[in-house]
Amino acid sequence: MGYEAELAAAREHVAFLYRRLDAERALAAGELVRVLRDNSATTPEERWQRQVSVDRLTARVQRFQAAESGLCFGRIDSSKGQRTYIGRIGLLDEENDYVSLLVDWRAPAARPFYCATAATPEGLVRRRHFHTRERSVLGIADDVFDLANAEGTPGSDGALLAALDAPREATMRDIVATIQAEQDEIIRLDHRGVLVIQGGPGTGKTAVALHRIAYLLYTQRRRLSRWGVLVIGPNPAFLHYIGNVLPSLGETDVVFAAMGELLPGLRTSTEDSAAAKRVKGSLVMVEMLAAAVADRQELPEVPIEIELEDVVVELDREVAAQARERARATGLRHNDARPIFRDQLIAGLTERAVDKIGEGWLEPADHALRAEFAADVCRELSRSSQLRTAIDLLWPELTPQRLLADLFGSPARIAAAAGGLDEVDHAALYREKGDDWTVSDVPLLDEAAGLLGTDGGAEQRAESERREQAEYAEGVLQILDTDEELDNEETLRAVDVIDPERLAERNLERDHRCLAQRAAADREWTYGHVVVDEAQELSEMDWRMIMRRCPNRSMTIVGDLAQRNSPAGARSWADMLDRYVPGRWACHQLTVNYRTPAEVMAIAAKVLAAVGAEFQPPESVRSTGIQPWAQRVDPGELATTLNRIVRSESGEGTLAVIAPEDTELAANADIRTPRQVKGLEFDRVIVLEPHQILADPEHGAVDLYVALTRATQRLGVLHTEPLPDILAGLSPRQG
């Protein structure tokens, strides 16, 4: 059968699968509507069963909707003559003994689609790739493993290369149809601890990690769908870029967040200076924050007078110190120990007040009278506004935000808590406005929350919500009782079965928010699995925060040590992980570069050598035949020249202009910094002023390496100064 006939047959079969998908979706949607309209449930058990049905049918409809784009992307033909179609979800022919029409790509039966090679065909004679757009099959490409029937190069990677050569889009396309054996091995790896995926630019490590999560959600659905998966990216732009991958595979129990978004109620993308990042990222901050909390448990410099009805007592250092010692001895967190401190102050002041009242006439042995005086004084102290003010001064109720804002906004508090840090570090931590939050502050706020405990404001909000729910529940019960139209005294009323408070509790217990909403609002939420991308940038304090969110230590870590930019980031994976998961982490290296053309990688490899001699560039599998170019212009002509080149480069695909930090150029182009494009890819890239990027002594070479390796097709460099020696291989731009 010729190509056109095979293409027509593929189109006909995929159209048939879409008809099955439409039928299944319509059936599920119809059943969902029926259940939603059914108001016959009267008992709590019936209502609960109805809700379970609604949740199940809703998830089923969403699953079918997620498979709409690219439902079927391939076929494998076995040596036994069996044809198996591979797609986003599984479909069965329920009318014919539940024969499989489409195999879910994560099922064991789909494994040969990814793992078969000419050397190890996995029992296949052919692997067919469908090139689709929405519901249309645009083309087909075969990898033939049976040499007797081969019409081209056996084991050809033509389908993969065609996909890689395709223009890039604003958001990441899933690569489920082009995953190669090296990547598939990692996706399906049976490892219960922390898995590190190390790989250079273009090796597909991010896509591999995301597809591994989809695979885990498929194989460990009960556990992960209950607790969810957290995906941490370097910045919101990157998360938007990758955000379509997992939903397109039908997975919705996933929370995407940047490091600046991991604390409920706070979102920041502001970066600290390199010096501040280094200090804030160090574990020395654990001791510093504990010292900062202890520093807020103060003793009075001069005695504080507390006026009572019959006497004035002094709250001095002796009484306060004794109360502080006993409160600290409980081991409770700061806010939780505050009532203990208050009670101990009242006890100490009560004893002094009674002694002062009975001075000269009240005998120590007169226990009954002393107890009576003590009870009166204790009640009066409990109501004293002066004592409340003193307690707020000596043991204030603190939020993490208040603790850090007061700390970083005060050189004196920094000096009191900083311990072994030197004056340079003190200066790096100080800022005029203490609550100008940065990304590096987020793990510190999280650490502080663990030291402080519950603040009264949170308790008040919870109590207010309970009251509102109780009032609502009482109104519901009154409506139910009115509607029942009681016929006689023996008929049970709703309030006879359940009281408003209990109904309110049940309403609070049933949280109707989706998993992502619930997790984002709960600092203490723990996830079943955590994915960290660009993990080489995370500091020691970042890792402490992440480990708290995954107590079972089931993680997928993605990164490239050669691209580390942060001074607080990882220099080796062992440095970061041995502390938390000794013996429970494994590192897998990706060595094949699917994204960056060989011509571009040859230039970038020279820059990588300047980053560190220990780093080896990944091997590019494709070549475009287009040499990277460079053009020198006068400083006054840079913007004009850039605009002209951008216009000439307009066409299909994406273009990025990457420039040094703080570049101000009146150009008609979207100019980004190397850090802003980390993890992203573009068809064409223009790098401005590489000598300025390299001028940064700490991470200039890393930034330039990142900038050069974003291109999937063409790379150009515009510069006003002579090219650095490591870019000497660039060709002059023609035209």
Side-chain angles (χ1 to χ4, degrees):
M1 187 182 296
Y3 176 83
E4 291 300 328
E6 291 280 3
L7 178 60
R11 287 171 173 168
E12 181 179 348
H13 190 82
V14 170
F16 162 72
L17 292 175
Y18 270 110
R19 289 195 295 272
R20 294 294 307 176
L21 176 72
D22 291 340
E24 293 284 348
R25 179 165 50 193
L27 185 64
E31 182 66 9
L32 176 60
V33 170
R34 186 193 66 77
V35 173
L36 288 172
R37 290 177 176 175
D38 183 5
N39 296 317
S40 62
T42 56
T43 67
E45 290 78 13
E46 290 173 342
R47 288 193 291 270
W48 175 79
Q49 290 174 354
R50 175 181 180 272
Q51 187 61 47
V52 169
S53 296
V54 169
D55 293 343
R56 176 179 57 81
L57 290 167
T58 299
R60 186 169 173 80
V61 171
Q62 290 175 341
R63 180 168 172 263
F64 289 139
Q65 290 173 338
E68 173 64 31
S69 178
L71 171 64
C72 176
F73 51 75
R75 190 188 85 192
I76 51 179
D77 300 350
S78 75
S79 57
K80 297 179 181 179
Q82 181 180 2
R83 290 183 174 180
T84 303
Y85 289 86
I86 312 297
R88 304 255 176 256
I89 62 173
L91 289 176
L92 299 175
D93 187 349
E94 298 181 3
E95 298 177 357
N96 294 292
D97 298 326
Y98 291 91
V99 173
S100 176
L101 300 174
L102 185 66
V103 172
D104 190 300
W105 71 275
R106 293 156 293 195
R111 177 181 172 83
F113 184 84
Y114 304 109
C115 299
T117 64
T120 309
E122 299 276 344
L124 302 185
V125 296
R126 183 191 309 273
R127 172 174 54 211
R128 173 162 291 178
H129 303 266
F130 298 155
H131 177 208
T132 64
R133 180 177 299 162
E134 296 179 349
R135 292 194 168 201
S136 300
V137 178
L138 304 182
I140 57 176
D142 285 353
D143 298 329
V144 181
F145 304 114
D146 185 345
L147 296 179
N149 297 320
E151 297 179 359
T153 304
S156 169
D157 283 328
L160 170 64
L161 296 178
L164 294 172
D165 283 333
R168 263 46 191 173
E169 300 171 358
T171 56
M172 185 179 188
R173 300 178 304 169
D174 69 87
I175 63 161
V176 67
T178 55
I179 293 171
Q180 300 303 288
E182 177 189 54
Q183 300 167 322
D184 185 72
E185 179 183 356
I186 297 174
I187 290 172
R188 300 168 191 269
L189 190 65
D190 183 17
H191 182 75
R192 298 290 180 175
V194 175
L195 177 64
V196 178
I197 304 175
Q198 160 78 30
T203 54
K205 54 186 178 293
T206 297
V208 170
L210 294 176
H211 286 82
R212 173 168 171 77
I213 299 318
Y215 180 72
L216 292 177
L217 282 165
Y218 180 75
T219 58
Q220 303 176 24
R221 181 169 298 278
R222 177 173 296 183
R223 179 176 68 87
L224 295 184
S225 63
R226 180 179 181 185
W227 300 110
V229 173
L230 172 64
V231 177
I232 301 173
N235 52 61
F238 175 81
L239 292 170
H240 173 72
Y241 176 64
I242 69 173
N244 282 346
V245 175
L246 282 175
S248 74
L249 297 175
E251 306 304 346
T252 56
D253 297 329
V254 182
V255 178
F256 292 89
M259 288 300 299
E261 301 169 341
L262 285 180
L263 202 65
L266 176 64
R267 297 174 70 92
T268 179
S269 57
T270 303
E271 296 286 347
D272 268 307
S273 67
K277 278 186 180 180
R278 176 181 54 79
V279 180
K280 290 181 179 181
S282 170
L283 288 178
V284 72
M285 293 304 299
V286 175
E287 296 179 2
M288 182 175 180
L289 290 174
V293 173
D295 184 53
R296 303 305 295 269
Q297 299 165 0
E298 302 182 29
L299 303 177
E301 294 294 333
V302 297
I304 301 171
E305 292 187 342
I306 308 295
E307 297 179 6
L308 303 176
E309 185 175 343
D310 297 323
V311 70
V312 175
V313 292
E314 289 187 340
L315 197 173
D316 58 17
R317 292 181 67 86
E318 180 183 354
V319 173
Q322 189 177 55
R324 182 175 72 174
E325 181 181 353
R326 291 177 177 174
R328 287 177 173 177
T330 64
L332 295 173
R333 296 180 293 182
H334 175 85
N335 290 333
D336 300 328
R338 176 179 148 102
I340 307 299
F341 177 72
R342 171 185 176 275
D343 292 344
Q344 292 299 317
L345 280 184
I346 291 176
L349 292 173
T350 296
E351 185 176 351
R352 286 193 172 187
V354 171
D355 287 344
K356 199 168 185 180
I357 292 171
E359 187 176 2
W361 64 273
L362 184 61
E363 297 295 333
D366 196 347
H367 299 299
L369 190 54
R370 290 184 67 88
E372 184 178 342
F373 281 141
D376 291 339
V377 171
C378 185
R379 281 192 294 269
E380 196 171 350
L381 283 170
S382 299
R383 297 191 296 265
S384 171
S385 60
Q386 291 177 326
L387 182 60
R388 283 198 299 271
T389 301
I391 294 172
D392 288 339
L393 174 67
L394 302 177
W395 197 295
E397 186 174 72
L398 295 171
T399 63
Q401 288 80 358
R402 180 183 171 187
L403 176 71
L404 260 69
D406 291 349
L407 175 64
F408 293 152
S410 168
R413 291 199 183 278
I414 292 174
L421 295 180
D422 57 28
E423 292 185 0
V424 174
D425 294 336
H426 291 193
L429 292 175
Y430 173 75
R431 59 190 178 215
E432 187 172 343
K433 189 176 180 182
D435 60 355
D436 278 346
W437 305 120
T438 67
V439 175
S440 299
D441 291 330
V442 173
L444 306 185
L445 290 166
D446 193 65
E447 186 80 23
L451 294 169
L452 295 174
T454 306
D455 66 276
E459 293 179 354
Q460 292 173 4
R461 290 189 294 273
E463 179 60 30
S464 175
E465 184 177 0
R466 281 192 291 269
R467 286 198 302 268
E468 291 178 2
Q469 290 291 347
E471 292 173 0
Y472 169 77
E474 186 172 3
V476 169
L477 291 175
Q478 289 176 354
I479 293 172
L480 290 174
D481 285 339
T482 302
D483 290 345
E484 284 178 358
E485 297 182 357
L486 300 178
D487 294 328
N488 56 64
E489 294 181 358
E490 295 181 356
T491 304
L492 286 176
R493 298 179 303 152
V495 292
D496 295 326
V497 178
I498 185 169
D499 60 88
E501 288 74 17
R502 180 57 186 150
L503 182 59
E505 290 176 7
R506 288 188 178 180
N507 197 43
L508 284 170
E509 290 168 2
R510 180 182 290 276
D511 195 332
H512 297 284
R513 295 172 298 173
C514 70
L515 182 145
Q517 292 171 323
R518 287 183 282 128
D522 186 355
R523 189 191 74 85
E524 297 185 351
W525 185 279
T526 58
Y527 293 87
H529 194 87
V530 171
V531 182
V532 184
D533 207 333
E534 299 292 344
Q536 74 278 355
E537 304 298 342
L538 268 57
S539 70
E540 293 172 319
M541 292 302 296
D542 291 331
W543 283 112
R544 277 179 66 88
M545 176 172 62
I546 291 170
M547 291 297 173
R548 279 193 287 269
R549 279 151 178 76
C550 191
N552 69 353
R553 303 296 193 259
S554 177
M555 297 183 179
T556 300
I557 307 301
V558 183
D560 180 12
L561 295 174
Q563 296 187 63
R564 180 185 62 83
N565 182 283
S566 171
R571 285 168 171 77
S572 78
W573 298 119
D575 287 347
M576 291 301 184
L577 298 176
D578 279 346
R579 180 180 292 108
Y580 303 104
V581 284
R584 288 193 59 223
W585 67 275
C587 182
H588 282 250
Q589 182 89 24
L590 292 173
T591 59
V592 180
N593 188 335
Y594 298 101
R595 178 183 70 204
T596 316
E599 294 84 356
V600 173
M601 204 62 214
I603 301 297
K606 299 177 182 178
V607 180
L608 180 61
V611 175
E614 69 274 21
F615 299 121
Q616 295 297 319
E619 182 180 355
S620 295
V621 299
R622 50 192 286 269
S623 174
T624 61
I626 304 173
Q627 293 298 323
W629 56 263
Q631 180 177 350
R632 183 174 180 179
V633 298
D634 292 334
E637 298 178 358
L638 182 60
T640 302
T641 304
L642 175 62
N643 289 336
R644 183 174 65 252
I645 294 175
V646 168
R647 286 195 300 271
S648 69
E649 290 280 349
S650 63
E652 190 177 29
T654 57
L655 181 143
V657 179
I658 306 175
E661 302 279 351
D662 303 322
T663 296
E664 295 183 4
L665 194 65
N668 298 323
D670 180 16
I671 300 178
R672 313 189 199 190
T673 67
R675 299 179 199 180
Q676 290 172 333
V677 298
K678 210 163 195 178
L680 307 182
E681 58 184 39
F682 308 89
D683 293 283
R684 293 149 295 164
V685 169
I686 300 173
V687 178
L688 302 183
E689 306 288 36
H691 58 282
Q692 292 184 18
I693 297 176
L694 277 173
D696 189 317
E698 291 192 13
H699 45 71
V702 171
D703 283 349
L704 184 57
Y705 179 62
V706 169
L708 295 174
T709 53
R710 300 307 96 193
T712 67
Q713 300 293 336
R714 297 196 293 276
L715 171 69
V717 173
L718 274 179
H719 55 108
T720 60
E721 298 290 335
L723 274 179
D725 291 340
I726 56 177
L727 297 182
L730 291 169
S731 303
R733 184 174 185 271
Q734 303 298 321

